[in-house]
Amino acid sequence: DAMVIQNPRYQVTQFGKPVTLSCSQTLNHNVMYWYQQKSSQAPKLLFHYYDKDFNNEADTPDNFQSRRPNTSFCFLDIRSPGLGDAAMYLCATSRVRATNEKLFFGSGTQLSVL
Amino acid sequence: QQPVQSPQAVILREGEDAVINCSSSKALYSVHWYRQKHGEAPVFLMILLKGGEQKGHEKISASFNEKKQQSSLYLTASQLSYSGTYFCGTRYNDYKLSFGAGTTVTVRA
């Protein structure tokens, strides 16, 4: 089945130690999003790629970076994780950017920072 | 801009009904509804576009009141499987999907 896959499911890192989360998709969608979801809160958009075009949200800290080497893969890099970055990170895709497009989510990566 | 969801939480017995509201202060182009179970990814339920249409997914339906800039999700004859957190996502005149804070639904036997 076509899907959005995130690895790993759980990630533990140390304070200040760089960490990379990965997302892959078999849907051949043009758009890939990264959302941060803290406990009991709504998912918050960090940035997205439309094809190779990177779009950062204004309030996303510089500590968060992303790479999309090809259509199928997208990575979230946290350069120096702080305790406040512990959260569920959700990758999502959509075919195009349009008001009637739904998002397909991966199962998420739960990040813990020690 | 984040939509406002209410109530924050609701507890139901199997077979009971509930309504979850999602409202915005800005003109909406579309409203999405997702359900998320604990520790899992949000799952798409339905999307409503401008025009006040009503849609359904099993015994879950939703409406979009364009005049009020509000959408309501109706859980009818709730089942245990309906438990989870329901998020509305709103789109304005662009592609960004902003989520409300969520409504936690607990259905008890």
Side-chain angles (χ1 to χ4, degrees), chain A residues 9 37 42 48 98-99 101 103 106, chain B residues 30 32 34 36 39 41 91 100:
Chain A
R9 181 73 179 86
Q37 186 179 27
H48 76 277
T99 56
E101 283 289 316
L103 267 58
Chain B
S30 65
H32 301 223
Y34 291 79
Q36 184 178 31
R91 279 198 168 116

Side-chain angles (χ1 to χ4, degrees), chain A residues 9-87:
Chain A
R9 181 73 179 86
Y10 299 93
Q11 176 75 56
V12 180
T13 191
Q14 291 181 337
F15 183 94
K17 185 175 180 181
V19 65
T20 295
L21 310 181
S22 70
C23 176
S24 64
Q25 54 124 344
T26 60
L27 297 161
N28 204 31
H29 282 176
N30 290 303
V31 194
M32 295 187 78
Y33 306 83
W34 280 104
Y35 281 86
Q36 178 193 62
Q37 186 179 27
K38 295 189 177 181
S39 183
S40 303
Q41 296 184 22
K44 178 179 177 296
L45 182 63
L46 294 174
F47 29 58
H48 76 277
Y49 272 95
Y50 185 37
D51 196 13
K52 295 181 181 180
D53 184 30
F54 177 71
N55 296 268
N56 199 24
E57 292 301 299
D59 56 355
T60 298
D62 293 339
N63 197 25
F64 291 86
Q65 307 280 316
S66 186
R67 297 170 283 135
R68 189 179 185 185
N70 53 53
T71 300
S72 302
F73 286 88
C74 194
F75 300 97
L76 170 63
D77 300 309
I78 308 177
R79 293 192 296 186
S80 182
L83 298 179
D85 297 329

Side-chain angles (χ1 to χ4, degrees), chain B residues 7 10-12 15-20 61 72-78 105:
Chain B
V10 60
I11 299 174
L12 302 166
E16 291 183 338
D17 302 338
V19 180
I20 301 170
S61 62
S72 296
L73 187 74
Y74 306 94
L75 307 181
T76 305
S78 58
V105 173

Side-chain angles (χ1 to χ4, degrees), chain B residues 34-100:
Chain B
Y34 291 79
R35 179 174 62 207
Q36 184 178 31
K37 303 225 179 217
H38 183 69
E40 299 179 10
V43 174
F44 173 80
L45 294 176
M46 65 193 79
I47 180 173
L48 298 105
L49 304 177
K50 282 174 65 174
E53 63 182 299
Q54 187 154 351
K55 287 203 166 183
H57 173 83
E58 299 171 345
K59 288 186 179 179
I60 300 173
S61 62
S63 63
F64 182 11
N65 187 321
E66 193 176 335
K67 191 174 180 181
K68 291 185 178 180
Q69 299 303 324
Q70 178 177 306
S71 177
S72 296
L73 187 74
Y74 306 94
L75 307 181
T76 305
S78 58
Q79 306 168 16
L80 295 176
S81 62
Y82 287 2
S83 292
T85 299
Y86 289 78
F87 291 99
C88 70
T90 53
R91 279 198 168 116
Y92 304 100
N93 60 348
D94 62 16
Y95 54 85
K96 295 180 187 179
L97 192 61
S98 299
F99 288 96

